[in-house]
Amino acid sequence: SPAGMVLSVLVILLLSMLYEAVKMGKAVLLRRALLALPRSLSRESLAEPEEGGTGPAQGRWFRYHVSQTLFHVVQVVLGYMVMLAVMSYNAWIFLGAIAGSTLGYFV
């Protein structure tokens, strides 16, 4: 039905926008993770402290890395969902995916 097609195109458009937002969030997390790394890569700065705990920079870096991993999983799942929708070979779905990707990148 026409209403179902409009809803489908709208859902694909929103999924494409969300894909672009997740991609940008992943890039922001990468930048923060790189800033959390120690400036010096000497053995002393890379070695774990003898007290048994991890340093604050190492803990921050690990949290950013876990967050990046979760963002990557969400990005892959969304990408495959949009790809499967486009593989329906429906021109309107294809245009919805392109429009959503364009709007998501712009925003």
Side-chain angles (χ1 to χ4, degrees):
S1 70
M5 180 56 71
V6 169
L7 182 63
S8 297
V9 170
L10 184 62
V11 167
I12 295 302
L13 187 132
L14 292 175
L15 282 177
S16 297
M17 286 181 70
L18 184 60
Y19 176 84
E20 292 293 331
V22 167
K23 189 167 69 169
M24 180 56 67
K26 198 169 115 178
V28 168
L29 278 175
L30 174 63
R31 185 174 157 267
R32 289 183 182 172
L34 290 175
L35 290 175
L37 286 175
R39 297 260 184 226
S40 170
L41 293 179
S42 65
R43 284 188 181 172
E44 293 80 22
S45 67
L46 293 177
E48 289 190 37
E50 293 180 9
E51 302 298 320
T54 59
Q58 290 173 345
R60 262 196 328 249
W61 180 83
F62 182 75
R63 283 194 303 265
Y64 287 135
H65 189 64
V66 169
S67 299
Q68 280 180 303
T69 303
L70 295 175
F71 266 70
H72 179 74
V73 169
V74 170
Q75 182 183 3
V76 167
V77 168
L78 287 173
Y80 277 119
M81 287 174 63
V82 171
M83 181 189 67
L84 284 173
V86 168
M87 292 302 292
S88 69
Y89 298 109
N90 186 317
W92 292 110
I93 297 289
F94 176 73
L95 290 175
I98 296 297
S101 182
T102 304
L103 285 172
Y105 184 81
F106 180 75
V107 171

